[in-house]
């Protein structure tokens, strides 16, 4: 009987390994950027075309490689980072497994150029699908250049699973941000389809964050600094009032390596407890430095998860440090134009002591004396005699008793009776004749309230067979969702012009996303007056949005679309309509007047699909009289 188990060929093994290392072009960007950082480069250029599908190139001025290393780096499990198993617990570098270059070369056309600083000539190698096509000597600058072309050219099924260029481009930006934020002392340049997207010179950590996320970010940052025996913490957190709905700008770095840690994220949220709105997410950029032997970074294929020796102590230290920094921010003086300056202590009163007030008493004051002013009052006395008010009859001493002047000459010119005399203090009033009601009994019954709100969450409306219980939030989502879809489809949305345009600042990646969505937003009623590299100017908004809700709606939209924009326009419009409906729908706990309740009920049942919300959740339930009878029959 022949053997069943056999060794895989090298090219098949490399393709299987590539499935773990390379999921998309962003994976290639991550591996190549980390190798450039480990090569001690001070200037790194990233060049991509067609969101990395056609080209991903990384050029650095690092140490470079000799001829032997240049050929050996494409072999599986070849690495310069470790020599023995114990080295895994004292790593200070990025990539270390030795599978990245071999896996990438197995599924793409790869070209490498490298040269040592002390050498006169460098090495030029071309590989296609793990096959060495050529190796030549070339005149090259110091450093290394990797060019990865036609990713997944020999695995069409994997290439078909790639998302649209917009989605893949956003994933590349995410990886580029993580590496560039971890190393602010390195000059990074990013080019996409020939356009200069980022040019980040060496700078401080705060300046690197501002370069990425816009100039307005600087005023949002609160520094966090803490040094303990267990770990060192440096970085920034955002002020509570600048919290967003999405979790975009949240970064943890451990020993200059980006990680994801729900446990540490919970520590940050615990520090904001009581000062953050429900559903809001703060931004943070936190850099933790710990001894390498206290962490295990080899527990995840992408090395974005780390195992800590003492997580509970790190949780407590991180929470206390952030809470302390936020406390310092709250007690610091701020420039607040809404503060009442009259309540502030003048500066020249700063060092003065308070004076004890003196009390002066008029010993000659007698409350039972005659009602005439006393001449014995001192000028500083606080008591003053008030003259008694005149009687109301004295107000009419000089008034002639001419009723025609009061009631009109035409009506009472021939009336000589004293019915209207002020002297007799008698007045005659004409009784109004009671007429029949303007509405008949049937119309009066129709004016009776037909809807009722329960716990500011549900609307109850009676029907012929029983009653309908409506979820006000989901019902309003359905109404707004269909309105936005109609506006975007017909492209005839109404806008309200703003007296003062709104300036909204966003990061470069968010500006790219807004540019992609601009036409769809215009169809909903937004009017864009101007667009700049770091902010947009809005001069008109949809009629059902208030000026204060514009920033909230757009932040929610960007958060919902962070993972990608649908490729076709209908799906794109559907996603935008869902996000805006979720942001603008009346929330649970909001009081609705009777008229608002009726409008919401009528609007819901006028929809094409009133049964479910845009997120496929039921909007109402019905209860028949028979169901109620069964409840009482128990």
């Amino acid at each position: 009987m022949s053997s069943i188990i056999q060794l895989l060929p090298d090219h098949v093994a490399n393709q299987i390994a590539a499935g773990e290392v390379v999921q998309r072009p962003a994976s290639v960007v991550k591996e190549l950027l980390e190798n450039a950082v480990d090569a001690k480069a001070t200037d790194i250029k990233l060049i991509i075309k067609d969101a990395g599908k056609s080209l991903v190139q990384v050029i650095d001025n690092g140490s470079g490689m000799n001829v032997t290393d240049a050929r050996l780096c494409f072999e599986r499990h070849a690495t310069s980072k470790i020599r023995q198993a114990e080295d895994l617990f004292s790593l200070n570098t990025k990539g270390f497994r030795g599978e990245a270059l071999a896996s990438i070369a197995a599924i793409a056309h790869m070209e490498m150029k490298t040269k040592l600083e002390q050498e006169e000539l460098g090495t030029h190698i071309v590989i296609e699908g793990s096959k060495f096509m050529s190796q030549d000597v070339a005149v090259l600058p110091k450093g290394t250049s990797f060019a990865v072309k036609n990713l997944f050219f020999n695995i069409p099924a994997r290439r078909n699973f790639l998302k649209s260029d917009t989605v893949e481009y956003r994933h590349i930006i995410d990886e580029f941000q993580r590496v560039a934020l971890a190393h602010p002392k390195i000059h990074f340049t990013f080019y996409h389809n020939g356009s200069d997207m980022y040019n980040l010179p060496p700078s401080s950590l705060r300046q690197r964050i501002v370069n990425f996320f816009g100039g307005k970010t600087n005023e949002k940052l609160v520094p966090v600094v803490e040094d303990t025996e267990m770990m060192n913490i440096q970085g920034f957190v955002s002020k509570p009032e600048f919290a967003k709905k999405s979790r975009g700008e949240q970064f943890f770095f451990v020993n200059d390596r980006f990680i994801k840690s729900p446990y540490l994220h919970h520590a940050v949220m615990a520090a904001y407890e009581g000062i953050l709105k429900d559903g809001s997410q703060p931004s943070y950029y936190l850099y933790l430095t710990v001894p390498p032997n206290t962490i295990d970074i080899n527990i995840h294929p992408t090395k974005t998860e780390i195992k800590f020796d003492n997580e509970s102590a790190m949780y407590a230290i991180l929470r206390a440090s952030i809470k302390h920094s936020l406390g310092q921010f709250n007690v610091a003086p701020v420039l607040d134009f809404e503060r009442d300056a009259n309540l502030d202590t003048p500066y020249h009163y700063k060092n003065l002591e308070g004076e004890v007030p003196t009390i002066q008493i008029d010993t000659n004051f007698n409350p039972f004396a005659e009602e005439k002013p006393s001449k014995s009052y001192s000028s500083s006395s606080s008591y003053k005699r008030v003259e008694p008010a005149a009687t109301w009859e004295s107000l009419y001493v000089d008034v002639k008793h001419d009723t025609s002047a009061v009631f009109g000459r035409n009506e009472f010119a021939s009336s000589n009776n004293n019915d209207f005399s002020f002297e007799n203090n008698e007045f005659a009033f004409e009784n109004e004749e009671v007429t029949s009601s303007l509405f008949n009994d049937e119309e009066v019954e129709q004016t009776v309230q037909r809807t009722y709100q329960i716990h500011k969450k549900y609307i109850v409306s009676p029907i012929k067979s029983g009653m309908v219980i409506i979820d006000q939030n989901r019902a309003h989502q359905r109404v707004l969702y269909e309105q936005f879809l109609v506006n975007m489809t017909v492209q005839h949305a109404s806008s309200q012009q703003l007296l003062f345009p709104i300036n909204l600042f966003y990061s470069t990646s968010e500006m790219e996303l807004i540019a992609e969505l601009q036409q769809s937003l215009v169809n909903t009623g937004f009017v864009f007056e101007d667009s700049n590299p770091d902010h947009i100017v809005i001069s008109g908004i949809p009629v059902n949005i208030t000026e204060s809700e514009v920033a909230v709606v757009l932040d929610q939209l960007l958060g919902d679309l962070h993972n990608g924009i649908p490729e076709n326009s209908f799906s794109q419009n559907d996603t935008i309509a869902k996000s805006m409906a979720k942001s603008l729908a009346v929330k649970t706990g909001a009081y609705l007047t009777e008229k608002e309740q009726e409008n919401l009920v009528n609007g819901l049942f006028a929809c094409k699909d009133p049964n479910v919300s845009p997120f496929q959740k039921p909007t109402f339930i019905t209860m028949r009289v028979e169901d109620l009878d069964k409840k009482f029959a128990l």
Side-chain angles (χ1 to χ4, degrees):
M1 182 177 178
S2 61
S3 300
I4 299 176
I5 300 175
Q6 57 183 347
L7 295 176
L8 288 173
D10 288 341
H11 69 280
V12 177
N14 287 337
Q15 288 187 358
I16 295 174
E20 297 180 357
V21 178
V22 184
Q23 288 93 25
R24 54 185 1 127
S27 304
V28 178
V29 172
K30 175 180 181 295
E31 296 292 346
L32 297 183
L33 287 178
E34 288 181 347
N35 285 340
V37 172
D38 288 338
K40 307 268 189 313
T42 59
D43 191 335
I44 301 176
K45 294 181 176 65
L46 172 62
I47 304 171
I48 65 173
K49 291 183 180 179
D50 300 329
K53 297 175 183 178
S54 299
L55 172 67
V56 174
Q57 185 174 7
V58 174
I59 305 172
D60 66 70
N61 62 347
S63 56
M65 292 178 283
N66 58 27
V67 178
T68 304
D69 291 342
R71 184 68 181 258
L72 194 60
C73 71
F74 292 102
E75 300 295 330
R76 292 193 65 195
H77 306 301
T79 178
S80 62
K81 315 296 173 60
I82 59 176
R83 293 290 182 266
Q84 53 189 357
E86 288 75 13
D87 294 341
L88 289 172
F89 301 98
S90 59
L91 286 170
N92 291 305
T93 55
K94 307 294 184 183
F96 57 87
R97 289 200 178 104
E99 293 183 358
L101 295 180
S103 300
I104 296 171
I107 54 174
H109 296 160
M110 199 164 184
E111 183 179 1
M112 184 187 71
K113 300 176 181 179
T114 183
K115 186 183 85 73
L116 295 171
E117 183 177 9
Q118 62 270 21
E119 298 288 340
E120 293 184 359
L121 299 175
T123 304
H124 180 199
I125 296 177
V126 178
I127 303 177
E128 295 181 2
S130 296
K131 296 181 180 180
F132 280 84
M133 306 302 293
S134 65
Q135 179 177 340
D136 301 317
V137 178
V139 178
L140 302 170
K142 170 200 171 184
T144 305
S145 169
F146 283 99
V148 180
K149 304 175 183 178
N150 304 322
L151 193 65
F152 300 122
F153 79 98
N154 53 354
I155 312 179
R158 290 290 302 276
R159 190 176 182 89
N160 293 334
F161 274 103
L162 294 178
K163 304 295 184 181
S164 64
D165 288 356
T166 305
V167 177
E168 298 299 339
Y169 174 66
R170 285 194 55 79
H171 283 287
I172 291 175
I173 289 182
D174 289 341
E175 295 294 346
F176 178 76
Q177 284 180 347
R178 294 166 183 175
V179 177
L181 286 173
H183 303 278
K185 300 302 181 183
I186 299 178
H187 184 188
F188 286 91
T189 313
F190 182 16
Y191 300 93
H192 180 215
N193 291 337
S195 301
D196 188 355
M197 305 307 300
Y198 289 99
N199 188 358
L200 308 172
S203 61
S204 64
L205 176 58
R206 178 187 284 266
Q207 187 60 44
R208 177 60 58 89
I209 295 172
V210 171
N211 289 339
F212 260 121
F213 302 105
K216 287 292 182 178
T217 307
N218 188 38
E219 64 186 43
K220 307 176 184 178
L221 301 179
V222 178
V224 178
V225 179
E226 189 66 43
D227 192 6
T228 65
E229 294 182 357
M230 182 174 295
M231 66 175 180
N232 175 271
I233 303 175
Q234 288 186 341
F236 300 90
V237 295
S238 66
K239 299 176 183 178
E241 60 266 29
F242 294 105
K244 297 183 177 181
K245 294 291 183 181
S246 61
R247 297 180 56 177
E249 300 174 16
Q250 296 180 344
F251 297 90
F252 276 119
F253 299 93
V254 175
N255 295 352
D256 293 336
R257 181 192 299 274
F258 172 80
I259 67 163
K260 297 178 181 179
S261 175
Y263 189 68
L264 296 182
H265 171 76
H266 190 275
V268 176
M269 299 302 295
Y272 278 90
E273 186 178 2
I275 58 175
L276 205 62
K277 296 180 181 179
D278 293 338
S280 299
Q281 294 286 336
S283 301
Y284 54 80
Y285 318 85
L286 296 173
Y287 296 74
L288 313 181
T289 303
V290 299
N293 58 352
T294 63
I295 59 175
D296 184 3
I297 58 179
N298 200 25
I299 63 173
H300 193 272
T302 59
K303 292 168 286 188
T304 56
E305 296 182 9
I306 289 181
K307 177 65 176 177
F308 298 96
D309 280 353
N310 195 345
E311 286 186 333
S312 59
M314 295 186 65
Y315 182 99
I317 295 173
L318 183 61
R319 177 180 176 274
S321 302
I322 298 175
K323 207 171 188 66
H324 176 68
S325 297
L326 293 174
Q328 285 184 323
F329 158 71
N330 287 330
V331 300
V334 295
L335 185 61
D336 185 4
F337 293 102
E338 297 181 357
R339 188 180 70 250
D340 188 357
N342 296 325
L343 301 179
D344 295 343
T345 303
Y347 182 78
H348 56 278
Y349 287 167
K350 179 179 178 182
N351 298 321
L352 296 181
E353 297 182 358
E355 297 181 358
V356 179
T358 58
I359 301 176
Q360 296 180 353
I361 301 175
D362 183 12
T363 57
N364 296 324
F365 174 71
N366 182 7
F368 302 102
E370 297 180 359
E371 294 183 359
K372 59 181 180 179
S374 175
K375 298 181 179 179
S376 62
Y377 291 147
S378 61
S379 60
S380 62
S381 175
S382 60
Y383 301 102
K384 293 183 180 180
R385 182 69 62 191
V386 180
E387 291 291 340
T391 60
W392 69 271
E393 291 90 347
S394 63
L395 299 176
Y396 300 95
V397 172
D398 297 329
V399 178
K400 296 180 180 180
H401 301 294
D402 186 0
T403 58
S404 63
V406 180
F407 298 101
R409 296 184 179 275
N410 295 332
E411 292 187 41
F412 302 97
S414 61
S415 178
N416 295 323
N417 56 25
N418 294 326
D419 291 341
F420 296 92
S421 174
F422 287 102
E423 294 179 357
N424 297 333
N425 294 330
E426 296 178 0
F427 298 91
F429 297 95
E430 182 181 0
N431 293 329
E432 293 184 358
E433 182 181 357
V434 179
T435 60
S436 60
S437 175
L438 294 176
F439 305 97
N440 55 31
D441 293 339
E442 294 180 357
E443 291 175 335
V444 172
E445 291 180 358
Q446 292 178 0
T447 61
V448 178
Q449 183 175 356
R450 304 289 294 176
T451 58
Y452 305 89
Q453 189 179 28
I454 299 178
H455 293 296
K456 298 180 181 179
K457 184 176 182 180
Y458 300 107
I459 298 174
V460 179
S461 178
I463 58 176
K464 186 175 181 180
S465 60
M467 62 180 176
V468 177
I469 303 176
I470 302 171
D471 187 307
Q472 64 185 33
N473 176 255
R474 295 179 183 178
H476 201 202
Q477 285 182 7
R478 166 54 62 177
V479 174
L480 293 177
Y481 168 73
E482 294 199 2
Q483 288 179 358
F484 287 130
L485 272 186
V486 171
N487 291 340
M488 285 187 284
T489 304
V490 180
Q491 299 182 358
H492 187 67
S494 300
S495 300
Q496 52 180 336
Q497 296 299 311
L498 299 175
L499 182 60
F500 300 103
I502 302 175
N503 294 325
L504 298 176
F505 290 81
Y506 295 102
S507 63
T508 304
S509 59
E510 290 174 334
M511 289 297 298
E512 290 282 333
L513 192 56
I514 291 176
E516 189 79 14
L517 303 173
Q518 184 167 346
Q519 186 56 48
S520 297
L521 292 174
V522 169
N523 293 338
T524 62
F526 285 96
V527 178
F528 293 87
E529 183 176 304
D530 193 10
S531 180
N532 298 278
D534 61 342
H535 72 280
I536 57 175
V537 181
I538 297 177
S539 60
I541 57 178
V543 293
N544 51 356
I545 297 180
T546 61
E547 186 174 348
S548 60
E549 294 175 329
V550 175
V552 177
V553 170
L554 292 181
D555 286 342
Q556 178 71 51
L557 179 60
L558 293 175
D560 292 341
L561 295 173
H562 179 72
N563 293 328
I565 305 177
E567 297 184 23
N568 57 68
S569 60
F570 176 76
S571 298
Q572 186 180 115
N573 292 343
D574 182 74
T575 305
I576 295 173
K578 285 181 179 178
S579 177
M580 294 180 64
K582 181 171 63 174
S583 301
L584 298 173
V586 60
K587 301 297 186 291
T588 298
Y591 171 75
L592 300 180
T593 64
E594 179 185 349
K595 190 66 175 176
E596 290 171 338
Q597 297 172 30
E598 293 179 358
N599 289 339
L600 181 56
V601 173
N602 295 335
L604 174 64
F605 291 104
C607 294
K608 294 182 178 179
D609 188 6
N611 298 315
V612 293
S613 71
F615 304 96
Q616 302 305 311
K617 295 181 179 180
T619 58
F620 67 90
I621 60 173
T622 58
M623 291 192 70
R624 300 179 301 169
V625 177
E626 291 81 357
D627 298 333
L628 296 176
D629 292 339
K630 291 179 182 178
K631 297 289 184 182
F632 285 102
L634 296 177

